[in-house]
Amino acid sequence: MLTRRFARISNRVSPLGKGFGKRWGTDGRKEATLFNETTETKWEGWEPIVYTTYAASMILLVFGLTNRPNTSIQDWAREEALVRLKRYDAGQEVKFGVHYSQIDNSPNFSKEEVGAVPELAEE
């Protein structure tokens, strides 16, 4: 009983009484939009260019990163060890300091002394 009486008094005294918000119209939350935008979305002039550039960049990144050359030192050492093992099993000489895995892929140059012009070495 005391709480009802207190509620009635507080509603009369408080400016935020029972009818707060009803004086200014209906609740327009359903019709409200942020920044008065309409529901129709129309691209601005810069959007197609930017989105096309994003898509092309992603395609280039995916293609470029999946097809990059393998430059890992562990993979090079594994390949070098396999080539040396094959040469050793075939009875060929294996020298320290010579990279045998690159002989098939690139020409082998050698020079006699410092400052000399490198010449194509014969195997």
Side-chain angles (χ1 to χ4, degrees):
M1 190 156 152
L2 185 62
T3 57
R4 284 185 191 172
R5 187 175 288 170
F6 180 72
R8 285 185 205 148
I9 293 171
S10 66
N11 282 339
R12 280 188 237 149
V13 173
S14 172
L16 304 176
K18 288 182 185 178
F20 178 70
K22 291 184 180 179
R23 292 180 281 194
W24 293 288
T26 62
D27 186 18
R29 280 186 257 172
K30 293 179 183 176
E31 296 88 23
T33 59
L34 185 63
F35 305 120
N36 285 333
E37 292 180 351
T38 61
T39 56
E40 297 175 12
T41 56
K42 191 174 182 182
W43 279 16
E44 295 185 17
W46 57 268
E47 286 180 308
I49 297 168
V50 169
Y51 296 145
T52 305
T53 305
Y54 287 165
S57 299
M58 287 305 297
I59 290 170
L60 284 173
L61 277 172
V62 167
F63 180 75
L65 291 176
T66 55
N67 293 317
R68 68 179 179 201
N70 189 3
T71 58
S72 171
I73 189 71
Q74 287 88 6
D75 291 337
W76 173 83
R78 182 179 298 112
E79 182 182 347
E80 183 70 26
L82 288 173
V83 171
R84 285 177 182 237
L85 186 61
K86 285 179 186 176
R87 288 180 63 93
Y88 184 74
D89 289 342
Q92 296 176 343
E93 183 181 3
V94 178
K95 293 182 184 178
F96 179 74
V98 177
H99 302 297
Y100 293 104
S101 65
Q102 297 176 353
I103 290 177
D104 299 334
N105 298 337
S106 61
N108 189 10
F109 289 98
S110 66
K111 58 183 180 177
E112 297 297 324
E113 56 189 49
V114 177
V117 178
E119 296 177 1
L120 190 60
E122 296 178 17
E123 189 65 30

